């Protein structure tokens, strides 16, 4: 087995270099750190035609993952999700090629398993014993599960109005859950105040370098799913933006590896009308998103009023000729049901949001019926039964 080719970490704003062997949260400039690899070396073994015999989960791309060789991985089988062709919805909408990347089959029912799976392995390798996380929903459950698998202590802070399933799965896995009268941003602040004193390692979105590395594997997988090519458009439900930024990073790496040229799928960020900081910034031509006051939506994963990676999301959208669009909760739930009835997959409202956005963009001719489009269903509907009941 060939090893990880990670070489250093780099500040996403200033380019300052950091030692990947040490534990890090944000850079000195307060910005996300990005993992960099020796891709010339990785190229020798990481070739599309070499992948067939490898393990099926996200660790099959180990040359561009941050864990050294011979590490005993804590894994629950994250990644390797199916790309489903939505034939019945193609007929319904009169389009040629529509697909769903179905992340609901990940461990703990969402793609958060990819990010937390990568983060926890990297952190354990660097000596961490106790973890903490602020969460709007699925991230807490994923961290709790990996901590349970690894036998590590886990502290989860979530808004007190988060649907019960998210809290129960954390407690069931043995995590310490604190319910906060506020939003994920308030949860983050509470953790920041005590984590150093308590000796916790905080794995907030983009505030440590490796959740991004887990999520980027979705970009590598799409290339394999499409028989060594990429689709025209990707619609992604955006909260903290790790998936969007992760795939954008993956495509750059894949170009350096010689897998693709300079062409990119258009990245379309989908947000909830009640919490749409990226859409607002996109429409105003801003480089940063700022904070969204009074955030509300039943799509827990989209209830992220402020994101440290905002400028990276906006750059990824701009550089790929993408766009950002919002949908209401009502549209989201209506299209969650259309997606379920047209595919057999019970999606998270975030998945419904993306189908609603696709339909709007199709009607506005911003996506053509001939374009190969991928909808990300980022989670399972089973944790959101309250939202489906209200939508009835
Ligand atoms: C967290 C989450 C999102 C948002 O993901 P980011 O990559 O942080 O933008 C979308 N959908 C679901 C189901 C989530 O749990």
């Amino acid at each position: 087995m060939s090893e990880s080719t990670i070489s250093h970490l780099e500040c996403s704003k200033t380019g300052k270099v950091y030692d990947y062997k040490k534990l890090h949260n944000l850079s000195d400039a307060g910005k996300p750190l990005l993992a960099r690899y020796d891709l010339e070396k990785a190229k020798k073994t990481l070739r599309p035609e070499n992948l067939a015999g490898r393990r099926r989960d996200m660790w099959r791309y180990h040359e561009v993952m941050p864990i050294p060789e011979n590490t005993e991985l804590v894994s629950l089988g994250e990644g390797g999700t199916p790309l489903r062709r939505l034939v019945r919805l193609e007929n319904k909408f009169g389009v040629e090629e529509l697909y769903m990347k179905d992340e609901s089959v990940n461990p703990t029912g969402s793609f958060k398993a990819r990010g937390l799976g990568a983060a926890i392995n990297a952190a354990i390798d660097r000596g961490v014993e106790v973890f903490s996380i602020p969460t709007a929903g699925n991230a807490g459950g994923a961290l709790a599960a990996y901590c349970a698998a690894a036998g590590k202590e886990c502290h989860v802070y979530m808004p007190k109005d988060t649907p019960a399933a998210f809290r129960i799965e954390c407690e069931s896995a043995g995590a310490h859950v604190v319910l906060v009268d506020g939003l994920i941003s308030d949860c983050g602040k509470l953790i920041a105040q005590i984590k150093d004193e308590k000796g916790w390692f905080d794995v907030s979105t983009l505030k440590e370098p490796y959740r991004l590395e887990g999520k980027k594997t979705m970009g590598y997988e799409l290339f394999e799913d499409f028989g060594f090519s990429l689709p025209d458009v990707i619609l992604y439900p955006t909260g903290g933006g790790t998936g969007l930024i992760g795939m954008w990073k993956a495509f750059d790496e894949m170009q350096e590896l010689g897998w693709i040229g300079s062409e990119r799928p258009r990245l379309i960020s989908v947000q909830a009308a009640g919490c749409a900081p990226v859409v607002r910034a996109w429409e105003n031509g801003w480089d940063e998103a700022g904070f969204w006051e009074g955030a509300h939506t039943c799509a827990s994963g989209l209830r992220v009023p402020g994101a440290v990676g905002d400028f990276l999301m906006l750059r990824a959208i701009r550089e790929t000729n993408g766009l950002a669009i919002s949908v209401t909760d009502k549209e989201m739930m209506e299209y969650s049901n259309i997606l379920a009835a047209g595919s057999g997959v019970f999606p998270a409202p975030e998945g419904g949001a993306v189908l609603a956005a696709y339909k709007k963009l199709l009607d506005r001719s911003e996506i053509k019926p001939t374009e190969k489009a991928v909808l990300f269903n980022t989670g399972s509907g089973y944790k959101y039964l309250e939202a489906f009941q209200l939508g009835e």
Side-chain angles (χ1 to χ4, degrees):
M1 181 161 149
S2 36
E3 54 190 302
S4 168
T5 63
I6 188 167
S7 56
H8 61 280
L9 298 171
E10 194 180 282
C11 173
S12 55
K13 193 82 182 183
T14 65
K16 185 175 168 189
V17 168
Y18 293 80
D19 180 0
Y20 75 88
K21 295 195 191 77
K22 299 210 174 98
L23 266 184
H24 297 280
N25 286 113
L26 292 172
S27 72
D28 297 336
K31 298 296 175 193
L33 287 171
L34 302 178
R36 298 298 183 202
Y37 300 84
D38 180 350
L39 295 173
E40 281 307 310
K41 186 169 170 212
K43 223 179 197 171
K44 297 193 183 115
T45 49
L46 189 59
R47 297 205 204 110
E49 67 272 20
N50 287 353
L51 294 169
R54 295 191 178 189
R55 54 190 292 166
R56 305 294 315 161
D57 60 19
M58 70 175 189
W59 299 102
R60 70 202 261 104
Y61 313 107
H62 51 78
E63 288 94 337
V64 289
M65 293 294 273
I67 318 293
E69 201 184 9
N70 300 329
T71 306
E72 210 174 297
L73 283 175
V74 180
S75 172
L76 298 169
E78 49 289 341
T81 59
L83 181 76
R84 304 186 192 280
R85 186 148 182 191
L86 303 175
V87 180
R88 295 192 53 239
L89 291 174
E90 286 172 2
N91 295 337
K92 183 180 170 75
F93 297 136
V95 299
E96 285 177 17
E97 283 188 70
L98 184 61
Y99 299 85
M100 174 204 290
K101 182 72 170 161
D102 187 11
E103 292 292 307
S104 71
V105 300
N106 272 301
T108 69
S110 91
F111 70 162
K112 291 292 192 300
R114 294 183 190 257
L116 275 315
I120 197 169
N121 277 290
I124 289 173
D125 182 60
R126 291 151 183 83
V128 173
E129 288 294 332
V130 186
F131 290 83
S132 64
I133 193 166
T135 181
N138 281 311
L143 181 66
Y146 287 94
C147 283
K152 304 291 174 192
E153 193 176 314
C154 179
H155 298 268
V156 177
Y157 282 54
M158 64 172 69
K160 72 174 197 302
D161 56 354
T162 308
F166 295 102
R167 172 180 54 81
I168 293 168
E169 70 173 342
C170 292
E171 288 173 345
S172 172
H176 304 273
V177 178
V178 176
L179 297 176
V180 175
D181 188 6
L183 294 167
I184 185 174
S185 42
D186 302 301
C187 297
K189 278 182 209 151
L190 287 175
I191 291 178
Q193 283 165 13
I194 58 171
K195 69 182 176 81
D196 291 341
E197 176 199 329
K198 300 263 190 193
W200 297 351
F201 184 64
D202 189 44
V203 290
S204 298
T205 300
L206 287 167
K207 291 187 180 167
E208 62 72 53
Y210 302 119
R211 280 175 67 176
L212 189 67
E213 296 306 288
K215 287 258 188 98
K216 83 175 177 189
T217 57
M218 297 188 296
Y220 283 89
E221 278 180 28
L222 278 183
F223 182 76
E224 282 197 84
D225 293 337
F226 279 103
F228 306 154
S229 69
L230 289 171
D232 298 311
V233 193
I234 295 173
L235 291 99
Y236 183 84
T238 312
T242 7
L244 202 72
I245 301 165
M247 285 191 277
W248 173 63
K249 180 175 188 282
F251 298 149
D252 283 352
E253 289 174 2
M254 285 157 58
Q255 183 173 357
E256 270 196 62
L257 289 167
W259 290 20
I260 58 172
S262 59
E263 72 287 355
R264 293 288 183 273
R266 303 206 307 282
L267 292 175
I268 297 187
S269 162
V270 180
Q271 295 201 299
C275 181
V278 173
V279 178
R280 178 180 60 187
W282 171 254
E283 287 173 351
N284 287 297
W286 301 341
D287 289 334
E288 289 174 14
F291 192 83
W292 184 276
E293 296 295 338
H296 63 91
T297 167
C298 65
S300 307
L302 306 187
R303 203 163 63 138
V304 181
V308 65
D310 56 351
F311 70 105
L312 295 172
M313 284 188 252
L314 288 160
R315 202 193 290 168
I317 297 167
R318 204 178 315 119
E319 285 185 4
T320 62
N321 267 320
L323 58 87
I325 182 173
S326 64
V327 300
T328 65
D329 277 20
K330 191 163 175 290
E331 291 169 322
M332 207 182 280
M333 296 320 300
E334 183 190 340
Y335 277 87
S336 294
N337 287 319
I338 294 174
L339 187 54
S343 71
V345 172
F346 184 38
E350 290 85 343
V354 161
L355 182 63
Y358 175 74
K359 180 63 170 56
K360 278 192 187 185
L361 293 169
L362 203 59
D363 291 345
R364 289 184 203 161
S365 302
E366 295 195 61
I367 294 179
K368 295 188 204 68
T370 50
E371 284 185 302
K372 217 179 264 189
V374 175
L375 312 174
F376 266 86
N377 175 37
T378 45
S380 161
Y382 292 115
K383 295 189 218 174
Y384 299 80
L385 298 181
E386 291 93 332
F388 279 89
Q389 265 170 337
L390 283 175
E392 271 173 6

